[in-house]
Each structure stands twice: as C-alpha cells, then as structure tokens.
Amino acid sequence: MLSSYSEYLIHKKWMKHALKQAQSAGDAGEVPVGAVIIDSSESIIASCENRKQRDNDPTAHAEILAIREAARRLQTWRLHECTLYVTLEPCPMCAGAIVQARVGLLVYGVDDPKTGAIRTVANIPDSAASNHRLRVIGGILESECRSSLQAWFANRRHRTK
C-alpha cells in the first residue's frame, strides 16, 4: 500500500529503470524482465536483466542477478535496507531468493498469472516456510510492464509462424 503520491513517484522512477533493463533483455532475445535494487539512500546498487538464454543458466533471472550484485557490492547477503524493483512478479525461485536475502521492500510491475509466487499463484513471503516478512507493493507501471511482455511474446509468436 502506498502512503503518499510522492512515494508513488519514487517507485515509478525506479520502475522506469527496471523497464529499461527489461527492454535490453528483450532486444537480446530474452524474456523482457528487468530488476533494479536501490539502497536506503536511493542509490542504484544493482541493475540487471534476464540472461537465462545468453548465459545458459536457468537461474539467471533478473532478480537473482540483481541480488547477487547487490550482495557483492554491499559485502553482505542481508539486503534488509534495500528495495528491489522488478517488472514482473517473481517466480518461486526468485521469491525464495528475495526472502533469503531479507530484501526490505519488493516493488513489482505486473502480476504473473502462471508462475507468480508473491501474490498471484503462490504467496511465498507470507507462507509458514518464510523466515522473513517481506513488504510488497505491486502494480507500479503495470500497463507499461504488461505491454512490454505482451509485445515481446506477440513478436516471438509472429516470427515462429
């Protein structure tokens, strides 16, 4: 839940950065998902995109790569003072990593009706298996995030016909 319009504007600003990462992933043939992590002083400490195809790595989701980069830069795996922005609701693997990293706030763009593990299909952060209560805000720049994914998949389907 957003407490103010100014908070919304801050989240919108950072989600635009995540959308740029998503565009870069899509341009490279990856599913267009981008992630950005900021610290408590609102500085970017990680900015990543999906790299699963390019790296031949099933774990190379934007969120996982951003968590790794942030932990490396901060020299701690505890990211409780950080905010993670991601264009698509995280999958079960990413939701688990977000909980394990103790991310302070997750902000995502659009729900994932197939594999969303934050609120849509499953709710890993609020499950009994979670040892961290994650604050979550969904729907920031939802239409832009959805359009990015829909356009990429439509283009992909068109090319395979």
Coordinates of all heavy atoms in Angstrom, one line a residue, residues 15 18-19 21-23 25-26 30-34 50 62-63 86-90 108-115 140-157:
M15 N 11.0 2.1 -11.2 CA 10.4 1.0 -12.1 C 10.8 1.4 -13.6 O 11.0 0.4 -14.4 CB 8.9 0.9 -11.9 CG 8.3 -0.3 -12.7 SD 9.0 -1.9 -12.2 CE 8.2 -2.1 -10.6
A18 N 14.0 -0.2 -14.2 CA 13.8 -1.7 -14.4 C 13.3 -2.0 -15.8 O 13.7 -2.9 -16.5 CB 12.9 -2.2 -13.3
L19 N 12.4 -1.1 -16.3 CA 11.8 -1.3 -17.6 C 12.9 -1.1 -18.7 O 12.9 -1.8 -19.7 CB 10.7 -0.3 -17.9 CG 9.3 -0.8 -17.4 CD1 8.3 0.4 -17.4 CD2 8.8 -1.9 -18.3
Q21 N 16.0 -2.0 -18.3 CA 16.7 -3.3 -18.3 C 15.9 -4.4 -19.0 O 16.4 -5.2 -19.7 CB 16.9 -3.7 -16.8 CG 17.9 -2.9 -16.1 CD 19.3 -2.9 -16.8 OE1 19.8 -4.0 -17.0 NE2 19.9 -1.8 -17.0
A22 N 14.6 -4.4 -18.8 CA 13.7 -5.3 -19.5 C 13.8 -5.1 -21.0 O 13.9 -6.1 -21.7 CB 12.2 -5.1 -19.0
Q23 N 13.8 -3.9 -21.5 CA 13.9 -3.7 -22.9 C 15.2 -4.2 -23.5 O 15.3 -4.8 -24.5 CB 13.8 -2.1 -23.2 CG 14.0 -1.8 -24.6 CD 12.8 -2.3 -25.5 OE1 11.7 -2.1 -25.1 NE2 13.1 -2.9 -26.6
A25 N 16.9 -6.7 -22.2 CA 16.8 -8.2 -22.3 C 16.0 -8.6 -23.5 O 16.4 -9.5 -24.2 CB 16.1 -8.7 -21.0
G26 N 14.9 -8.0 -23.7 CA 14.0 -8.3 -24.9 C 14.8 -8.1 -26.2 O 14.7 -9.0 -27.1
E30 N 15.9 -12.3 -24.8 CA 15.5 -12.8 -23.5 C 14.1 -12.4 -23.2 O 13.6 -11.3 -23.7 CB 16.4 -12.3 -22.4 CG 17.9 -12.6 -22.6 CD 18.3 -14.0 -22.1 OE1 17.5 -14.7 -21.5 OE2 19.5 -14.3 -22.3
V31 N 13.4 -13.1 -22.3 CA 12.1 -12.6 -21.8 C 12.4 -11.3 -21.2 O 13.3 -11.2 -20.3 CB 11.5 -13.6 -20.8 CG1 10.2 -13.0 -20.3 CG2 11.2 -14.9 -21.5
P32 N 11.6 -10.2 -21.6 CA 12.0 -8.9 -21.1 C 11.6 -8.6 -19.6 O 10.5 -8.0 -19.4 CB 11.2 -8.0 -22.1 CG 10.0 -8.8 -22.5 CD 10.5 -10.2 -22.5
V33 N 12.5 -9.0 -18.7 CA 12.3 -8.7 -17.3 C 13.5 -8.0 -16.9 O 14.7 -8.4 -17.1 CB 12.0 -10.0 -16.5 CG1 11.9 -9.7 -15.0 CG2 10.8 -10.7 -17.0
G34 N 13.3 -6.9 -16.1 CA 14.4 -6.1 -15.6 C 14.3 -5.9 -14.1 O 13.1 -5.9 -13.6
N50 N 17.2 -10.2 -17.4 CA 17.2 -11.7 -17.6 C 18.4 -12.0 -18.6 O 18.6 -11.3 -19.6 CB 15.9 -12.1 -18.3 CG 14.8 -12.5 -17.3 OD1 15.1 -12.4 -16.1 ND2 13.7 -12.8 -17.8
A62 N 16.6 -11.9 -13.7 CA 17.0 -10.5 -13.4 C 17.1 -10.3 -11.9 O 18.0 -9.7 -11.4 CB 16.0 -9.5 -14.0
E63 N 16.1 -10.9 -11.1 CA 16.1 -10.7 -9.7 C 17.3 -11.4 -9.0 O 17.9 -10.8 -8.1 CB 14.8 -11.3 -9.0 CG 13.5 -10.7 -9.6 CD 12.9 -11.6 -10.7 OE1 13.7 -11.8 -11.7 OE2 11.8 -12.0 -10.6
V86 N 11.2 -4.9 -9.8 CA 11.2 -5.8 -10.9 C 9.9 -5.7 -11.7 O 8.9 -5.4 -11.1 CB 11.4 -7.3 -10.4 CG1 10.3 -7.7 -9.5 CG2 11.7 -8.2 -11.5
T87 N 10.1 -5.8 -13.0 CA 8.9 -5.6 -13.9 C 7.8 -6.6 -13.8 O 6.7 -6.3 -14.1 CB 9.4 -5.4 -15.3 OG1 10.2 -6.6 -15.7 CG2 10.3 -4.1 -15.5
L88 N 8.2 -7.9 -13.5 CA 7.2 -9.0 -13.4 C 7.3 -9.6 -12.0 O 8.4 -9.8 -11.5 CB 7.6 -10.0 -14.5 CG 6.8 -11.3 -14.6 CD1 5.3 -10.9 -15.1 CD2 7.4 -12.3 -15.6
E89 N 6.1 -10.0 -11.5 CA 6.0 -10.7 -10.3 C 7.0 -11.9 -10.2 O 7.0 -12.7 -11.2 CB 4.6 -11.2 -10.0 CG 4.4 -11.9 -8.7 CD 3.0 -12.5 -8.5 OE1 2.2 -12.4 -9.5 OE2 2.8 -12.9 -7.4
P90 N 7.8 -12.0 -9.2 CA 8.8 -13.0 -9.2 C 8.3 -14.4 -9.1 O 7.2 -14.7 -8.6 CB 9.6 -12.7 -7.9 CG 9.5 -11.2 -7.7 CD 8.1 -10.9 -8.2
Y108 N 6.9 -4.6 -7.6 CA 6.9 -5.2 -8.9 C 5.8 -4.6 -9.8 O 4.9 -3.9 -9.3 CB 6.8 -6.7 -8.9 CG 5.4 -7.3 -8.4 CD1 4.4 -7.5 -9.3 CD2 5.2 -7.5 -7.0 CE1 3.2 -8.0 -8.9 CE2 4.0 -8.1 -6.6 CZ 3.0 -8.3 -7.5 OH 1.8 -8.8 -7.1
G109 N 6.0 -4.8 -11.1 CA 5.1 -4.1 -12.1 C 3.8 -4.8 -12.3 O 2.7 -4.3 -12.1
V110 N 3.9 -6.1 -12.8 CA 2.7 -6.8 -13.3 C 2.7 -8.2 -12.7 O 3.7 -8.8 -12.5 CB 2.6 -6.8 -14.8 CG1 3.7 -7.6 -15.4 CG2 1.3 -7.3 -15.3
D111 N 1.5 -8.6 -12.3 CA 1.3 -10.0 -11.8 C 1.6 -11.0 -12.9 O 1.4 -10.7 -14.1 CB -0.2 -10.2 -11.4 CG -0.6 -9.4 -10.2 OD1 0.2 -9.0 -9.4 OD2 -1.9 -9.2 -10.0
D112 N 2.1 -12.1 -12.4 CA 2.4 -13.3 -13.4 C 1.4 -14.4 -13.1 O 1.5 -15.1 -12.1 CB 3.8 -13.8 -13.2 CG 4.2 -14.9 -14.2 OD1 3.2 -15.4 -14.8 OD2 5.4 -15.2 -14.3
P113 N 0.3 -14.5 -13.9 CA -0.7 -15.5 -13.6 C -0.3 -16.9 -13.8 O -1.0 -17.8 -13.4 CB -1.8 -15.1 -14.7 CG -1.1 -14.5 -15.8 CD 0.1 -13.7 -15.1
K114 N 0.9 -17.2 -14.3 CA 1.4 -18.6 -14.5 C 2.3 -19.0 -13.4 O 2.2 -20.1 -12.9 CB 2.1 -18.7 -15.8 CG 1.1 -18.6 -17.0 CD 1.8 -18.9 -18.3 CE 0.8 -18.8 -19.4 NZ 1.4 -19.1 -20.7
T115 N 3.3 -18.1 -13.0 CA 4.3 -18.5 -12.0 C 4.5 -17.5 -10.9 O 5.5 -17.7 -10.2 CB 5.6 -18.9 -12.7 OG1 6.1 -17.6 -13.3 CG2 5.5 -19.9 -13.8
I140 N 3.0 -1.2 -9.9 CA 3.7 0.1 -10.3 C 4.1 0.0 -11.8 O 4.7 -0.9 -12.2 CB 4.9 0.4 -9.4 CG1 4.6 0.4 -7.9 CG2 5.7 1.6 -9.9 CD1 3.7 1.6 -7.6
L141 N 3.5 1.0 -12.6 CA 3.7 1.0 -14.0 C 3.2 -0.3 -14.6 O 3.8 -0.9 -15.6 CB 5.1 1.3 -14.4 CG 5.6 2.7 -14.1 CD1 7.0 2.9 -14.6 CD2 4.7 3.8 -14.6
E142 N 2.1 -0.8 -14.1 CA 1.6 -2.1 -14.5 C 1.3 -2.2 -16.0 O 1.7 -3.2 -16.6 CB 0.3 -2.4 -13.7 CG -0.3 -3.7 -14.0 CD -1.6 -4.0 -13.2 OE1 -2.0 -3.1 -12.4 OE2 -2.1 -5.1 -13.3
S143 N 0.7 -1.2 -16.6 CA 0.4 -1.3 -18.0 C 1.6 -1.3 -18.9 O 1.7 -2.0 -19.9 CB -0.6 -0.2 -18.4 OG 0.0 1.1 -18.2
E144 N 2.6 -0.5 -18.5 CA 3.9 -0.5 -19.3 C 4.6 -1.8 -19.2 O 5.1 -2.3 -20.2 CB 4.8 0.6 -18.8 CG 4.3 2.0 -19.1 CD 3.5 2.6 -18.0 OE1 2.8 1.9 -17.2 OE2 3.5 3.9 -17.8
C145 N 4.6 -2.4 -18.0 CA 5.3 -3.7 -17.8 C 4.5 -4.8 -18.6 O 5.2 -5.6 -19.2 CB 5.3 -4.0 -16.3 SG 6.4 -2.9 -15.4
R146 N 3.2 -4.8 -18.5 CA 2.4 -5.8 -19.2 C 2.6 -5.6 -20.7 O 2.8 -6.6 -21.5 CB 0.9 -5.6 -18.9 CG 0.1 -6.6 -19.7 CD -1.4 -6.5 -19.3 NE -1.6 -7.0 -18.0 CZ -2.0 -6.2 -16.9 NH1 -2.1 -4.9 -17.1 NH2 -2.1 -6.7 -15.7
S147 N 2.6 -4.4 -21.2 CA 2.7 -4.1 -22.7 C 4.1 -4.6 -23.2 O 4.2 -5.2 -24.3 CB 2.6 -2.6 -23.0 OG 1.3 -2.2 -22.7
S148 N 5.1 -4.4 -22.4 CA 6.5 -4.8 -22.8 C 6.5 -6.3 -23.0 O 7.0 -6.8 -24.0 CB 7.5 -4.4 -21.7 OG 8.7 -5.0 -21.9
L149 N 5.9 -7.1 -22.0 CA 5.9 -8.5 -22.1 C 5.0 -9.0 -23.3 O 5.4 -9.9 -24.1 CB 5.4 -9.1 -20.8 CG 6.4 -9.1 -19.7 CD1 5.8 -9.1 -18.3 CD2 7.5 -10.2 -19.8
Q150 N 3.8 -8.4 -23.4 CA 2.9 -8.8 -24.4 C 3.5 -8.6 -25.8 O 3.3 -9.4 -26.7 CB 1.5 -8.1 -24.3 CG 0.8 -8.7 -23.1 CD -0.5 -7.9 -22.9 OE1 -0.7 -6.7 -23.2 NE2 -1.5 -8.5 -22.2
A151 N 4.1 -7.4 -26.0 CA 4.7 -7.1 -27.3 C 5.8 -8.1 -27.7 O 5.9 -8.6 -28.8 CB 5.2 -5.7 -27.3
W152 N 6.6 -8.4 -26.7 CA 7.7 -9.3 -26.9 C 7.2 -10.7 -27.3 O 7.7 -11.3 -28.3 CB 8.6 -9.4 -25.7 CG 9.9 -10.2 -25.9 CD1 11.0 -9.7 -26.5 CD2 10.1 -11.6 -25.7 NE1 12.0 -10.8 -26.6 CE2 11.4 -11.9 -26.1 CE3 9.3 -12.6 -25.1 CZ2 11.9 -13.2 -25.9 CZ3 9.8 -13.9 -25.0 CH2 11.1 -14.1 -25.4
F153 N 6.2 -11.2 -26.6 CA 5.7 -12.5 -26.9 C 4.9 -12.6 -28.2 O 5.0 -13.5 -28.9 CB 4.8 -13.1 -25.7 CG 5.6 -13.6 -24.6 CD1 5.7 -13.0 -23.4 CD2 6.3 -14.9 -24.7 CE1 6.5 -13.5 -22.3 CE2 7.0 -15.4 -23.7 CZ 7.2 -14.7 -22.5
A154 N 4.2 -11.5 -28.5 CA 3.5 -11.4 -29.8 C 4.5 -11.4 -30.9 O 4.3 -12.1 -31.9 CB 2.6 -10.1 -29.8
N155 N 5.6 -10.7 -30.8 CA 6.6 -10.7 -31.8 C 7.3 -12.0 -32.0 O 7.5 -12.5 -33.1 CB 7.7 -9.6 -31.5 CG 8.7 -9.4 -32.6 OD1 8.4 -9.6 -33.8 ND2 9.9 -9.2 -32.2
R156 N 7.5 -12.7 -30.9 CA 8.1 -14.0 -30.9 C 7.2 -15.0 -31.6 O 7.6 -15.8 -32.4 CB 8.4 -14.5 -29.5 CG 9.1 -15.8 -29.4 CD 9.4 -16.1 -27.9 NE 9.7 -17.4 -27.7 CZ 11.0 -17.9 -27.5 NH1 12.0 -17.0 -27.4 NH2 11.2 -19.2 -27.3
R157 N 5.9 -15.0 -31.3 CA 4.9 -15.9 -31.9 C 4.8 -15.6 -33.4 O 4.8 -16.5 -34.2 CB 3.5 -15.7 -31.3 CG 3.4 -16.5 -30.0 CD 2.0 -16.5 -29.5 NE 1.4 -15.2 -29.2 CZ 1.6 -14.6 -28.0 NH1 2.2 -15.2 -27.0 NH2 1.1 -13.4 -27.9

